[in-house]
Amino acid sequence: MKVLTCPMNGPRNIDEFQSFGPVRTMPDPGAASDAEWSRYLFRSENRKGVVVEWWRHVPSNYFFLAERDIVSNEILRTFDPAEFAPPS
Amino acid sequence: MPLGLLKYGLSRTYPVRGDIPQTPELRSSYDVVIVGGGGHGLACAHYLSKYHGIRNVAVLEKGYLAGGNTARNTTTIRSNYITPQSIAFYQEGVKLYEEMSQELDFNVMFSQRGQLTLAHTEASLRSFHLRAEMGKHLGTRIEVVDQKGVKELSPLLNMDHGGPLEIVGGLWHADGGTARHDAVAWGYAGQASRRGVQIHQRTEVEAFEVSNGRVQTIVTNRGRLSCGQVLIAAGGMNYDVALLAGVELPIRCYPLQAMVTQPLKPWLDTLVSSVSLHTYLVQSARGEIVIGGGSDPYQLYSTRSTLDMKEHLAAGAVHLFPFLKSVKVLRQWAGITDMTPDYTPIMGASPLSNLWLDCGWGTWGFKATPVAGKRMGETIATGHVPDILKPFALERFGSFNLINEMGATAASH
């Protein structure tokens, strides 16, 4: 059993969570070109290494962020979205 | 052929045909370099060398021959998709499997036993009707069957569950089948190497040197080589390899797990899969029950197995065939799948003029091995993408012309 530590509910079986994939920054829909918009829709971070991704604790419907290494599957940190500073 | 057989039978030494040659020295230049020594890359090498006269070809394989997803899939061959583009493409794939043992002069143990996909809800049945009508329209053998039909096709199925998981009908695809996946790769490798294609095992691409919109040089762990055309057919590593050339593909990698049980007497003569249980079963020629399902629930570059997924697969299998409850699991494994947003592959051109893509094969690549090899070979040899491949271009994401095969692909093979 792999354990994911929810910032609100504490350590839980990862089966209680749903992955929503790496964080993506939405471009301005009015100003973005078709290429930028399709990139935003269809391309997720998949480079080997650490990604910041959305997770949901299903029973409590709480969404949060995790830093996870997608090669070793090590979860480095989980935190509330309020603490997230998107890369500029 | 009969004369050859007679000669072989009367021979004193029973000459054994040479296997795949040892990895030779790298040449400094090749007309075509194929990155990935799995089924797709080897099939492309076969078609290039046999039908297009292009024999100065190198297949570069980081590990050993066909040791990636070619060896890890669950060998399902079918064409029961939902969009006309996919059905036409996979149907050609099934036809090529039907004649593959002749084509390769090597028994790939193709067994066209049919695939039965089970519906547990009226909603699934409605989507089956759509798939059946699309398939019939394009000439595949496919029909919706009711509970009685399901029972006739697979008499040992547990039909007495009732409740939300009662089997209400099925999709019967008589063209479905299996083949021995290793044999497919070995057959293509043998044919290609006999025509002069060089297969380089333990040869990893480390960089592409790109200038003027072309790949000029490929840097490997065994040296540098220049290339006319390049094909990326690296399975789970497609995203990584394309990135080396500066091409970012809309791919995310997920593990896909499967397992086999101890061998049993033959009792399951079709492929059986369940959309709602995310489980499918097939009995191998050795009697093992091969059990597979959906991808792992989150992105990962790892071929580790998890107890969670194994429990899930076992639960689905026991639900359909309760007498499997005391059968032991013999082996388990995982592969890394390169999933696209629309569950459809990416084939054709890349932003670089001499770099071609055979990527995004996710959980559905084995069945397309011959047709992808044939059509990518044609593309590389002529420089033109044939009509059958055009819908699968990388540009479809930019123009929002996706080919949604999620319902006919994910977890419901």
Side-chain angles (χ1 to χ4, degrees):
Chain A
M1 180 178 80
K2 189 167 177 67
V3 172
L4 181 60
T5 303
C6 173
M8 186 166 83
N9 300 286
R12 299 277 173 163
N13 185 341
I14 201 160
D15 269 9
E16 289 187 21
F17 299 90
Q18 186 182 4
S19 166
F20 280 79
V23 170
R24 289 176 284 181
T25 312
M26 187 171 78
D28 176 1
S33 67
D34 279 0
E36 283 172 314
W37 192 249
S38 78
R39 191 181 190 289
Y40 162 67
L41 287 180
F42 303 124
R43 301 200 184 190
S44 279
E45 189 52 78
N46 193 48
R47 284 164 213 258
K48 289 177 175 172
V50 176
V51 297
V52 181
E53 56 189 1
W54 284 106
W55 285 81
R56 169 193 177 213
H57 182 244
V58 177
S60 61
N61 197 27
Y62 170 68
F63 283 79
F64 62 95
L65 294 162
E67 283 176 13
R68 186 172 62 90
D69 188 316
I70 60 168
V71 178
S72 69
N73 204 16
E74 187 186 356
I75 298 160
L76 305 169
R77 184 165 84 99
T78 55
F79 54 101
D80 190 272
E83 295 168 37
F84 179 61
S88 53
Chain B
M1 195 55 202
L3 197 65
L5 197 63
L6 195 67
K7 228 168 117 186
Y8 181 83
L10 295 174
S11 156
R12 246 176 237 193
T13 49
Y14 292 106
V16 177
R17 191 163 63 193
D19 287 334
I20 291 98
Q22 294 282 312
T23 294
E25 288 299 309
L26 274 179
R27 290 183 199 140
S28 58
S29 169
Y30 292 93
D31 294 338
V32 178
V33 174
I34 296 169
V35 183
H40 281 235
L42 295 166
C44 182
H46 166 71
Y47 281 97
L48 281 172
S49 61
K50 183 169 177 184
Y51 295 97
H52 302 285
I54 300 175
R55 297 180 176 189
N56 184 20
V57 176
V59 179
L60 308 182
E61 169 54 49
K62 180 173 81 165
Y64 56 92
L65 193 79
N69 291 349
T70 300
R72 294 160 200 265
N73 63 72
T74 47
T75 73
T76 302
I77 296 157
R78 63 190 179 90
S79 58
N80 52 357
Y81 282 76
I82 204 161
T83 65
Q85 303 94 314
S86 296
I87 295 169
F89 176 76
Y90 290 110
Q91 185 182 19
E92 185 170 306
V94 171
K95 285 192 183 126
L96 289 170
Y97 268 107
E98 288 168 355
E99 57 206 42
M100 189 185 284
S101 294
Q102 295 292 330
E103 167 78 16
L104 300 181
D105 192 16
F106 194 78
N107 186 3
V108 300
M109 296 170 71
F110 179 59
S111 163
Q112 200 160 33
R113 60 183 77 173
Q115 185 195 32
L116 177 64
T117 310
L118 302 169
H120 303 266
T121 64
E122 292 296 325
S124 293
L125 264 187
R126 277 198 296 278
S127 80
F128 285 3
H129 277 290
L130 182 56
R131 280 166 71 181
E133 295 312 313
M134 290 302 293
K136 281 182 214 168
H137 178 63
L138 290 157
T140 61
R141 289 187 291 164
I142 187 164
E143 60 180 318
V144 175
V145 291
D146 59 9
Q147 284 177 319
K148 189 162 161 279
V150 169
K151 186 91 184 143
E152 278 169 11
L153 286 164
S154 188
L156 293 171
L157 261 177
N158 175 25
M159 305 291 290
D160 300 330
H161 259 285
L165 286 173
E166 185 181 4
I167 295 165
V168 295
L171 184 65
W172 173 240
H173 179 43
D175 288 335
T178 68
R180 186 179 173 207
H181 45 200
D182 302 315
V184 171
W186 297 338
Y188 280 127
Q191 286 284 335
S193 56
R194 253 167 268 149
R195 291 194 175 81
V197 170
Q198 290 194 339
I199 300 168
H200 294 272
Q201 302 187 57
R202 306 278 180 204
T203 305
E204 181 172 359
V205 173
E206 292 173 340
F208 293 106
E209 290 176 6
V210 176
S211 61
N212 300 325
R214 292 174 61 88
V215 175
Q216 306 285 356
T217 307
I218 300 176
V219 182
T220 76
N221 59 341
R222 293 176 55 230
R224 296 160 59 85
L225 46 117
S226 62
C227 49
Q229 308 289 317
V230 186
L231 175 71
I232 299 181
M237 291 300 115
N238 279 329
Y239 178 90
D240 248 33
V241 174
L243 207 56
L244 291 176
V247 177
E248 193 190 4
L249 297 175
I251 279 173
R252 294 166 70 188
C253 290
Y254 291 80
L256 178 67
Q257 304 185 35
M259 62 188 190
V260 295
T261 69
Q262 65 188 97
L264 306 171
K265 283 183 182 176
W267 59 272
L268 183 62
D269 56 0
T270 64
L271 294 97
V272 171
S273 67
S274 160
V275 180
S276 302
L277 294 169
H278 294 230
T279 307
Y280 60 91
L281 301 94
V282 57
Q283 189 165 24
S284 76
R286 278 185 299 223
E288 300 159 336
I289 308 299
V290 183
I291 307 172
S295 304
D296 271 35
Y298 54 87
Q299 226 168 316
L300 189 64
Y301 275 100
S302 168
T303 52
R304 59 93 179 90
S305 289
T306 63
L307 182 60
D308 296 349
M309 283 304 282
K310 295 291 130 58
E311 281 180 335
H312 171 81
L313 292 179
V318 170
H319 186 97
L320 297 172
F321 300 104
F323 57 88
L324 288 177
K325 66 181 186 298
S326 56
V327 172
K328 293 180 177 67
V329 171
L330 202 66
R331 291 194 308 280
Q332 51 155 32
W333 67 92
I336 298 171
T337 60
D338 50 331
M339 303 292 284
T340 55
D342 56 358
Y343 293 76
T344 292
I346 299 166
M347 288 180 282
S350 80
L352 304 179
S353 64
N354 65 338
L355 180 73
W356 304 94
L357 305 171
D358 180 32
C359 303
W361 284 106
T363 64
W364 50 87
F366 175 68
K367 69 178 76 65
T369 304
V371 63
K374 178 185 169 184
R375 293 302 192 168
M376 287 311 302
E378 182 185 340
T379 304
I380 292 167
T382 62
H384 295 287
V385 179
D387 287 346
I388 196 169
L389 291 193
K390 279 182 182 152
F392 304 106
L394 177 62
E395 291 85 53
R396 75 175 182 272
F397 298 99
S399 56
F400 303 93
N401 287 312
L402 273 64
I403 303 173
N404 184 1
E405 287 292 354
M406 188 180 186
T409 302
S412 55
H413 291 242

